[in-house]
Amino acid sequence: RPLFPDGYANETNIVANVLSVDSNNAPDAVALSATSIALTISDIPFGGPLAACRVCRVNGEFICNPSSEQIALGDINIFLAGKKGASQGSTYAVDLVMLEGDANEKQEEDLVLAIQYGLEQLRPLIDLQEEMRSAIGNAKRAFEVPSNNEALEKALKIALEADLKGAYGISRKQERYARLGELKKKAREIAVNEALGTDKEASRIFAELDYRALRDKIIREKKRIDGRPYDGIRPISIEVGLLPRVHGSALFTRGETQALAALTLGTSADEQRLDYITGEETRTFMLHYNFPPYCVGEARPLRSPGRREIGHGNLARRALVPLVPTTDEFPYTIRIVSEILSSNGSSSMATVCAASLALMDGGVPVKNMVAGIAMGLLKEGEEIVILSDILGDEDHTGDMDFKVCGTLNGVTAMQMDIKIDGITEEVLIKALNQAKAGREHIIGKMEHALANPRTELSMFAPRITTIKIKPEKVREVIGAGGKTIRQIVSDTGVTINVEDDGTIKIASADAAASQRAVDIIKGIVEEPELGKIYQGKVKRIVDFGAFVEIIPGTEGLVHISQLAKERVQSVSDVVKEGEIIPVKVIEIDEKQGRIRLSRKEAME
């Protein structure tokens, strides 16, 4: 998007269909590079060529366009795009245009090295596109930026310049927007009443004056809308545990942006199953981001999730994944829903902070606290300004939106959108370091609200008990057609998930019910143990002894000689059918499938 010329308004439709895919090469980098090739050889004005690649680091070594297996083993995974930059002698620089990715709490220096490596890998693709353009490229169509109505522009500048400057001295968003709306209406009235131009021309010129007024305030006057320094963070307030029925919650407010994160815990039956073009994935940690119209003072119907909801939710989830415990450590399916209650910039980063606190409030043993911050950039000639914790207006007017998430130990996720041709390594390093300082400040505020995960789960959260049985015993627990397991669920009210490897997870908010289910299952799968004493039930009496059931479905023989110390004339003189008696396992013959029991030794 930033590589189309300013003012270019022709509808341009690019379709990248995946026609074939293998198991090793992801189609995203191919699709972006193919798109650039199509634009480069077309007659469409385009500031490319552009190329893309994915970079991961495995065992300290960077890999370009890694396989899915290599990505899983890596500690850095970034996707970037770059374009041909300024010439440096016989070669040229490759400027960064877009970046997103995640890392396992890695330092900013590591990420810069990964980005440098990735940009260098783009050279062959950029050079190839240059050759293609020379060989088969079309001449670019003529394009001139539409000129403004000079008379109207001059009149509006005289009439509105001072008022626009004053509007950007109003710190509260809705009040500022109301004032800007009045000035836009005034611009349109001037155009029509003084017969200087059309309503459409007035709107376009007003947008340019508005854009220029805020940039001048920040760059020339060194002032931000709310009076903060360039690296300043808005006031932060935090509440945790404010929703009584969910399993964890946090309200994170930064300036006029407010996110409410709600945590719920479930079983493996609640896992999310995803079917991608490259394969299937099962998620036990989900994060969903909602941006309702009321959070920006709008009245419109709710619709299905859009680009914002999906993109911001994915970014926040990626930021938290490295710190969420594995299912072996915490056998729950975790879902967080972030509701943006009020938005004035950086709502995705507020989601990261609120979600991190909600996890801790819910007793999820996260490894570290995660915070996020959105950085902005304004560039005029050689002058560059980097802003921390940007407002919505600063995002709209700025030249870069750079979101960085992480812990005190390092970065876990980031995303960069650039509206100008590209940024240099020096600017990138400065932005990362400024983001680190802001992130540390925010985490300090979060630690003051809740320093560590709670030691107990919510009373409303299910308790999951995990037991392990032999895989060959799974069939016995399930029963014919699932009859046995349905009966256990019916009798106890718990939820049971049985895996093929013999792992059984029992979930219930009632500890006593969970224990009853555990006891029933253990009874089903229990095997006789040599030397152990059981309370067995006499099932049958024969002349030479009694058959006693020591565990469900498993019987052993108490020979008449093992019934008592004294000589026994008749088995029925000592035991009766249906009677519960103590017996000791004195022999197990696995080949014959026979168990010998002794009441005499158990009595001793």
Side-chain angles (χ1 to χ4, degrees):
R1 184 177 61 179
L3 300 184
F4 289 97
D6 288 338
Y8 184 74
N10 291 36
E11 291 187 6
T12 305
N13 186 20
I14 301 167
V15 180
N17 280 336
V18 180
L19 303 180
S20 177
V21 66
D22 62 26
S23 58
N24 293 317
N25 299 285
D28 47 8
V30 180
L32 197 151
S33 297
T35 297
S36 174
I37 293 170
L39 288 167
T40 297
I41 65 175
S42 75
D43 69 342
I44 297 170
F46 178 62
L50 181 78
C53 72
R54 184 173 297 279
V55 174
C56 82
R57 188 175 69 174
V58 180
N59 298 326
E61 296 291 328
F62 290 118
I63 302 172
C64 179
N65 292 326
S67 66
S68 55
E69 291 81 5
Q70 290 170 323
I71 292 173
L73 295 171
D75 58 5
I76 292 177
N77 173 27
I78 61 173
F79 184 87
L80 56 84
K83 65 176 287 291
K84 186 175 182 178
S87 296
Q88 299 173 340
S90 59
T91 184
Y92 59 87
V94 180
D95 290 342
L96 183 65
V97 175
M98 184 276 289
L99 168 71
E100 69 172 27
D102 48 80
N104 191 7
E105 293 187 278
K106 295 306 167 187
Q107 297 300 307
E108 283 74 7
E109 295 82 0
D110 296 324
L111 297 170
V112 170
L113 290 174
I115 293 166
Q116 290 172 336
Y117 170 84
L119 291 175
E120 284 302 311
Q121 305 310 304
L122 300 182
R123 288 183 186 277
L125 265 176
I126 293 172
D127 292 341
L128 175 62
Q129 291 183 65
E130 293 277 19
E131 293 175 23
M132 294 176 73
R133 176 160 55 190
S134 298
I136 59 172
N138 294 296
K140 295 299 181 183
R141 70 182 69 165
F143 171 75
E144 293 182 4
V145 178
S147 59
N148 282 332
N149 179 328
E150 292 184 5
L152 179 58
E153 183 176 10
K154 182 177 180 181
L156 293 183
K157 188 173 182 180
I158 293 170
L160 301 177
E161 195 169 41
D163 288 337
L164 280 169
K165 182 177 178 181
Y168 282 109
I170 302 171
S171 60
R172 291 187 63 83
K173 176 181 175 180
Q174 293 302 329
E175 294 175 11
R176 181 171 66 255
Y177 278 20
R179 179 56 178 155
L180 290 171
E182 293 172 359
L183 295 178
K184 185 175 182 179
K185 182 180 179 182
K186 182 178 178 181
R188 294 157 74 176
E189 290 173 349
I190 290 172
V192 175
N193 294 342
E194 299 183 18
L196 293 174
T198 65
D199 187 272
K200 186 175 181 180
E201 286 177 319
S203 296
R204 185 174 70 244
I205 293 170
F206 178 83
E208 293 174 2
L209 293 174
D210 181 15
Y211 172 85
R212 188 76 264 156
L214 179 54
R215 290 180 69 92
D216 285 347
K217 180 181 179 70
I218 296 172
I219 296 174
R220 309 285 180 231
E221 301 177 28
K222 313 292 184 189
K223 293 179 181 179
R224 298 177 69 174
I225 295 172
D226 52 9
R228 281 181 291 151
Y230 291 155
D231 60 353
I233 310 297
R234 288 172 286 176
I236 294 172
S237 66
I238 298 168
E239 290 183 58
V240 293
L242 71 164
L243 296 180
R245 189 56 181 79
V246 302
H247 303 155
S249 60
L251 181 69
F252 182 89
T253 308
R254 182 164 50 200
E256 292 181 292
T257 295
Q258 186 174 65
L260 174 63
L263 164 76
T264 47
L265 303 174
T267 68
S268 58
D270 302 310
E271 292 175 356
Q272 185 179 26
R273 289 168 175 80
L274 304 168
D275 187 8
Y276 297 115
I277 193 169
T278 51
E280 294 183 356
E281 178 187 352
T282 300
R283 288 183 178 176
T284 57
F285 173 52
M286 296 169 273
L287 191 152
H288 297 120
Y289 165 102
N290 291 329
F291 193 85
Y294 61 75
C295 75
V296 285
E298 295 179 0
R300 55 180 169 81
L302 292 174
R303 304 197 184 281
S304 58
R307 180 183 63 86
R308 173 195 290 272
E309 285 81 5
I310 294 170
H312 286 0
N314 282 338
L315 174 61
R317 180 183 178 276
R318 289 205 312 270
L320 290 160
V321 162
L323 290 312
V324 173
T326 64
T327 51
D328 291 336
E329 299 167 323
F330 191 71
Y332 289 88
T333 294
I334 303 168
R335 186 187 184 203
I336 293 176
V337 177
S338 173
E339 301 285 353
I340 305 303
L341 305 182
S342 175
S343 177
N344 187 13
S346 306
S347 61
S348 63
M349 299 296 93
T351 291
V352 172
C353 300
S356 180
L357 289 161
L359 287 166
M360 295 173 64
D361 180 56
V364 179
V366 292
K367 299 178 180 70
N368 272 316
M369 183 177 286
V370 185
I373 184 170
M375 309 296 294
L377 176 142
L378 285 82
K379 183 176 184 294
E380 291 284 347
E382 297 300 314
E383 189 168 4
I384 294 175
V385 171
I386 296 175
L387 306 177
S388 296
D389 182 25
I390 55 175
L391 301 171
D393 285 331
E394 292 171 337
D395 181 10
H396 175 70
T397 308
D399 299 320
M400 177 188 78
D401 175 19
F402 188 18
K403 302 180 180 74
V404 185
C405 313
T407 67
L408 293 177
N409 295 331
V411 175
T412 59
M414 56 186 175
Q415 183 182 72
M416 176 186 287
D417 291 321
I418 303 170
K419 302 172 190 175
I420 52 179
D421 280 356
I423 65 168
T424 64
E425 178 185 326
E426 180 184 0
V427 172
L428 176 64
I429 293 172
K430 184 178 179 182
L432 280 168
N433 289 334
Q434 192 167 315
K436 180 180 180 180
R439 187 173 76 242
E440 290 171 347
H441 169 80
I442 296 164
I443 289 177
K445 297 288 186 180
M446 293 166 65
E447 287 179 335
H448 183 73
L450 184 62
N452 297 293
R454 301 200 190 279
T455 55
E456 295 289 333
L457 297 180
S458 163
M459 62 181 291
F460 299 112
R463 264 55 179 180
I464 295 182
T465 304
T466 302
I467 60 175
K468 193 83 171 178
I469 66 172
K470 291 182 178 180
E472 57 266 27
K473 291 284 186 177
V474 167
R475 184 178 299 176
E476 296 177 26
V477 174
I478 294 174
K483 180 179 178 181
T484 303
I485 197 167
R486 285 199 302 270
Q487 188 62 49
I488 300 171
V489 171
S490 175
D491 292 344
T492 62
V494 303
T495 299
I496 301 176
N497 291 298
V498 183
E499 298 175 11
D500 292 339
D501 66 353
T503 301
I504 299 179
K505 295 179 181 178
I506 301 163
S508 174
D510 184 343
S514 289
Q515 190 57 51
R516 287 200 304 275
V518 169
D519 292 341
I520 294 170
I521 293 170
K522 284 184 175 179
I524 293 171
V525 301
E526 187 178 5
E527 295 182 345
E529 183 180 335
L530 188 65
K532 184 175 180 180
I533 295 175
Y534 294 87
Q535 295 297 319
K537 184 178 183 179
V538 179
K539 302 294 285 186
R540 289 180 294 133
I541 292 176
V542 292
D543 292 342
F544 53 85
F547 288 95
V548 178
E549 186 181 58
I550 55 175
I551 54 180
T554 302
E555 295 180 2
L557 173 65
V558 183
H559 192 266
I560 192 169
S561 63
Q562 294 293 328
L563 283 172
K565 292 181 184 179
E566 65 277 3
R567 181 179 175 84
V568 176
Q569 294 293 333
S570 174
V571 177
S572 58
D573 291 342
V574 181
V575 297
K576 308 293 183 186
E577 284 190 9
E579 185 180 354
I580 305 298
I581 62 171
V583 290
K584 180 180 179 180
V585 179
I586 57 175
E587 184 182 342
I588 300 174
D589 186 342
E590 293 183 357
K591 290 183 179 180
Q592 298 292 327
R594 296 172 180 173
I595 301 169
R596 290 182 60 221
L597 307 172
S598 173
R599 178 178 178 271
K600 178 173 64 175
E601 292 191 23
M603 296 294 285
E604 292 174 354

